[in-house]
Amino acid sequence: LSELRLYDYFESGNAYKVRLLLTLLGQPFERVHLDILKGETRSAAFVAKNPNHRVPTLELEDGRVLAESNAILFYLAEGTRYLPGDPFERAQALQWMFFEQYSHEPCIAVARFWHFSGQAEAHADELPAKMEGGRHALSVMDGHLADRDWFVGDAQSIADIALYAYTHVAHEGGFDLADYPSVERWIERFSAQPGHVGIDDDTGVLVDWPG
Ligand SMILES: N[C@@H](CCC(=O)N[C@@H](CS)C(=O)NCC(=O)O)C(=O)O
């Protein structure tokens, strides 16, 4: 490849994390859009790249492939201002990224997905537990941000990017962010950063992919 290639899906917050960091870094990239609702992540050609058939998946210029949004953020942020240099702060960034994947995304992103894919009724029994888990995650974030601008240290990092992706669209999953004023202020601060792009903004160069 002549450039980094991101296998992407517009509505995916996990994929948006990577689009956003690449854009903040000014790193050119190709974007292959796979429609997960049409099963395009399950094609043989894509499964050969990522057997876990998920976006985001990043393909490097030399053909190596990296999956898992937060691992991709960590890789791309190495040596940049988005990954703290201090060992304890690096570990704190990982702490918040694991929190995002275990306590936040499985509730907030899943509730949102059920709504926009028309599955909320089919999952009516499971939705209350997702809402409770999501509200707990938001309250943990709100407490942490009460006297801080950013999740780690005093600058925006990949921990903020990982958490921003699904938090700023949590209302699409039925969450009311007005209950979390420090989170709301952090969202405003985050989106006001120079070079910021939104989840719907077209970034990278869209390419056709025969797979
Ligand atoms: N833990 C993964 C989750 C990725 C994920 O769940 N991707 C979804 C979209 S948000 C997907 O590609 N689904 C398509 C499929 O399961 O075939 C990450 O952080 O990257």
Side-chain angles (χ1 to χ4, degrees), residues 12-14 17 36 41-42 52-56 68-70 101 105 166:
S12 163
N14 287 318
K17 294 171 190 175
I36 65 174
T41 41
R42 314 277 170 129
N52 198 31
H53 55 76
R54 298 277 199 284
V55 296
E68 293 294 331
S69 57
N70 292 349
Q101 285 285 288
E105 193 257 21
Y166 285 107

